[in-house]
Amino acid sequence: MKKVLIIVLTLVSYLNGYAQNDYEYGILGGFNNRNERVVANGISASAGEGGVFIGLFIDMKISEAISIQPEIQYVATFIENNTSNSIVIPIVGKYHFSDKFSIHVGPVLDIILDGTPLNEFGLGIAIGAGYDITDDLFITSRYSLGLTNRLNTDFATSGFSTQIDFFQVGLGYRF
């Protein structure tokens, strides 16, 4: 939990210290699907669980068409009457095709908060799109492909691997 707090405080400090005035911040939330991909001896299987996410973001304009949007999200995934909790930290670059439509790509760090046999830290790459309904209200969709093997080294050296992917559809509001 100390690691999560340090990451959150570092991100907030960075966002507060951002010198340009050309930024927007807000809240977003929506549906989250977490998918665990398991590969063992060339055979793969996956299982997905649905849930919700809520988070904060800041959208910092670099140019008229490009911005960077760091986020911090709390994700709750519901698995057979249990809840799995994670913190997800995407930092996506956004390319704005028009005033309304943008595509997103960038790294994602996720931290599993519950006790788990998996490694709690994971790294992925996200790709997605957004559409501005109004100046303040927008929808977004994103897929994050897990790149890190989440199994400990004992299993990883024996040909087993597990990655965690996320798919999100959300609604956001800029303040």
Side-chain angles (χ1 to χ4, degrees):
M1 198 63 185
K2 287 181 185 178
K3 293 176 188 176
V4 173
L5 184 59
I6 289 170
I7 291 170
V8 170
L9 291 176
T10 302
L11 184 61
V12 168
S13 297
Y14 172 75
L15 297 179
N16 283 336
Y18 190 73
Q20 291 186 1
N21 290 331
D22 201 7
Y23 64 90
E24 299 174 315
Y25 59 94
I27 188 168
L28 71 156
F31 170 76
N32 183 81
N33 185 63
R34 183 174 109 173
N35 188 50
E36 292 185 24
R37 291 180 289 124
V38 179
V39 177
N41 300 321
I43 300 170
S44 65
S46 63
E49 301 93 19
V52 295
F53 75 97
I54 187 163
L56 301 171
F57 70 89
I58 186 164
D59 191 351
M60 302 174 288
K61 284 211 181 274
I62 303 299
S63 70
E64 194 64 33
I66 299 173
S67 64
I68 296 174
Q69 183 170 303
E71 303 172 11
I72 186 160
Q73 303 171 356
Y74 168 75
V75 177
T77 306
F78 308 108
I79 308 166
E80 298 178 10
N81 299 326
N82 292 319
T83 304
S84 175
N85 302 293
S86 301
I87 298 292
V88 178
I89 304 171
I91 303 173
V92 293
K94 294 171 61 177
Y95 180 76
H96 304 268
F97 283 105
S98 68
D99 291 341
K100 300 279 187 188
F101 183 72
S102 62
I103 60 168
H104 313 163
V105 66
V108 177
L109 172 68
D110 70 276
I111 305 158
I112 300 172
L113 300 177
D114 307 318
T116 178
L118 300 176
N119 294 329
E120 61 186 13
F121 290 99
L123 183 64
I125 186 79
I127 187 165
Y131 180 78
D132 292 348
I133 299 167
T134 68
D135 287 342
D136 298 327
L137 193 64
F138 65 93
I139 56 174
T140 185
S141 178
R142 188 178 297 154
Y143 181 77
S144 173
L145 177 67
L147 301 175
T148 320
N149 186 356
R150 301 305 281 265
L151 294 177
N152 66 36
T153 56
D154 295 336
F155 285 108
T157 56
S158 63
F160 291 92
S161 68
T162 296
Q163 287 84 23
I164 297 177
D165 304 333
F166 293 95
F167 173 71
Q168 296 178 330
V169 177
L171 183 66
Y173 184 79
R174 295 181 191 95
F175 298 109

